[in-house]
Amino acid sequence: MSQTPKTFEEWWVGSHYRRFVQREGVPLYEDSYLENLATLPLADWERRGGKAAYTRLGDQEINNLQIVEIPPRGELKPERHMYEAVMYVMSGSGATTIWQEGESKRTVEWSEGALIAIPLNAWHQEFNSSADKPCRIFFGTNMAQVINLYHNLDFVFNNPFVFKERYSCAMERDYTERAKHWNKRLFETNFIADIRNFALDAWEERGTRTSIMRLYMGNASSQIHILEVGEGTYVTAHRHFAGAHVIQIAGQGYELLFMPGDELNPQKRRKVPIGPYGAVAPRLNEFHQHFNTGKGPFRQLAFKGWGYTPTTITSRGEYDPTGAARSDNPYASAFKLRYDKEDLSIREEYYRELEKNGVSLRLEPIDQGPG
Ligand SMILES: [Fe+2]
């Protein structure tokens, strides 16, 4: 007779994503913050070569990061998969070759700052073109969700289905020339050579010092954007579903993370430094707040699953720590902590940080960042 389960995990079907990462033989990083993806310890990765690690940030298994390092002149083995992926280059230079049965092959060259879409289930292979330097990249994916959902690695990594509308559309849009600025703040492309200096559109509604570009890449449903926060300002706290990832790509500052109910208690607010390539992926309803304390703007790359935008864009949900009316939109999932409801010590601490860094500009904070 089988024994009575004693732990929570034993009562449930285990996480196939966790099991998969174990099988890969590389580290799995948890929490809702990682200080630097560029220096995170990785382990040898037999399946594709190079070194790798995975994340399970924000206590969720929808979106995750796969961090990869390729040795000098090294290459990864080709793969294809039934999850969406965008690739970002943190250091080094190389190339990715992308192909799909019956269609033309494409090779995209990249270096630090590049963002590349990998069309769904298309083959891709990465190469390091340097003779003496490793390169480090990460993939933002919904791998965790897909592996848990289908529960079968053969289906996920060895699936013959050909998504013509994903690959062909991506190729037609091209990886270089035919990117399209559809309208203000929405850009369709499959490749940006350096997102650290890619032109964003002003977001006047959020103040004159903030800009954004939402990116539609690889005909995918994952949502991506780049947000820039000007010197001497910060984004007011907000919270939403778990799964959204923010990766700092330029500029320095700090993040505050706290759970609802703790916003008036400085001891319970977690303060962590943020600089390239720090990552923040808040837990369900965990408030998060970005503070730019450096000279010049700071920039963040965000990726999230499907379904965030309708709520974050239309929501005017506001969180009131006094417990009064919390939202005028019953469907709102993104609540922000309004500037005038914010604990004064948050602002005072920010001003002290600015003084320490010799930044004299102090402007009204941004009402709310997306994602
Ligand atoms: Fe957010």
Side-chain angles (χ1 to χ4, degrees), residues 238 240 244 282 288 290 369-371:
H238 65 287
H240 42 64
H288 46 290
H290 320 302

Side-chain angles (χ1 to χ4, degrees), residues 204-267:
E204 297 86 351
E205 296 90 328
R206 301 292 189 214
T208 51
R209 290 148 292 108
T210 177
S211 49
I212 193 167
M213 194 68 85
R214 297 189 177 89
L215 301 176
Y216 185 57
M217 300 183 81
N219 200 12
S221 29
S222 299
Q223 298 175 358
I224 307 165
H225 71 247
I226 304 167
L227 175 74
E228 186 169 288
V229 179
E231 181 176 306
T233 195
Y234 63 92
V235 179
T236 50
H238 65 287
R239 60 179 180 140
H240 42 64
F241 295 129
H245 285 61
V246 163
I247 290 102
Q248 186 82 8
I249 52 171
Q252 295 287 340
Y254 64 93
E255 298 276 322
L256 282 186
L257 295 159
F258 49 90
M259 295 309 289
D262 292 341
E263 54 279 349
L264 300 177
N265 184 349
Q267 268 73 48

Side-chain angles (χ1 to χ4, degrees), residues 61-72:
E61 294 187 0
I62 301 164
N63 297 319
N64 66 288
L65 301 170
Q66 180 190 53
I67 303 118
V68 178
E69 196 169 284
I70 313 173

Side-chain angles (χ1 to χ4, degrees), residues 19-233:
R19 218 170 293 165
F20 166 76
V21 174
Q22 266 176 9
R23 202 171 127 160
E24 293 274 270
V26 301
L28 176 68
Y29 290 99
E30 303 202 52
D31 199 352
S32 42
Y33 161 77
L34 292 171
E35 189 169 356
N36 193 348
L37 301 176
T39 56
L40 204 62
L42 312 179
D44 287 337
W45 191 24
E46 207 189 312
R47 184 169 63 87
R48 291 196 72 201
K51 289 173 181 292
Y54 291 86
T55 66
R56 184 186 178 278
L57 299 181
D59 287 344
Q60 53 79 44
E61 294 187 0
I62 301 164
N63 297 319
N64 66 288
L65 301 170
Q66 180 190 53
I67 303 118
V68 178
E69 196 169 284
I70 313 173
R73 289 219 186 281
E75 61 185 62
L76 301 181
K77 290 172 198 154
E79 70 165 4
R80 63 179 168 179
H81 38 76
M82 294 289 284
Y83 55 82
E84 294 181 344
V86 285
M87 172 184 148
Y88 179 79
V89 181
M90 293 185 277
S91 65
S93 56
T96 295
T97 300
I98 301 167
W99 70 98
Q100 180 159 284
E101 271 168 47
E103 301 193 54
S104 62
K105 227 176 196 187
R106 168 99 38 185
T107 296
V108 185
E109 293 187 0
W110 40 254
S111 56
E112 185 176 356
L115 188 67
I116 300 132
I118 309 292
L120 187 65
N121 212 28
W123 287 100
H124 65 103
Q125 182 173 22
E126 286 68 33
F127 302 85
N128 184 346
S129 58
S130 165
D132 51 6
K133 288 194 188 85
C135 59
R136 193 177 275 223
I137 58 186
F138 71 77
F139 294 90
T141 79
N142 63 338
M143 169 202 282
Q145 182 182 41
V146 168
I147 287 179
N148 282 334
L149 195 59
Y150 296 107
H151 204 146
N152 183 313
L153 295 180
D154 214 29
F155 178 84
V156 177
F157 289 100
N158 189 23
N159 193 317
F161 189 84
V162 171
F163 290 89
K164 283 209 179 292
E165 82 287 8
R166 299 287 193 119
Y167 184 86
S168 308
C169 176
M171 291 303 128
E172 197 181 298
R173 186 59 66 207
D174 208 308
Y175 272 78
T176 44
E177 306 112 42
R178 273 175 285 172
K180 184 156 180 174
H181 200 166
W182 280 106
N183 57 42
K184 202 172 177 189
R185 301 168 204 151
L186 179 64
F187 199 88
E188 182 175 0
T189 184
N190 297 305
F191 174 70
I192 296 174
D194 191 347
I195 62 170
R196 294 169 302 172
N197 50 41
F198 179 71
L200 308 181
D201 285 336
W203 200 6
E204 297 86 351
E205 296 90 328
R206 301 292 189 214
T208 51
R209 290 148 292 108
T210 177
S211 49
I212 193 167
M213 194 68 85
R214 297 189 177 89
L215 301 176
Y216 185 57
M217 300 183 81
N219 200 12
S221 29
S222 299
Q223 298 175 358
I224 307 165
H225 71 247
I226 304 167
L227 175 74
E228 186 169 288
V229 179
E231 181 176 306
T233 195

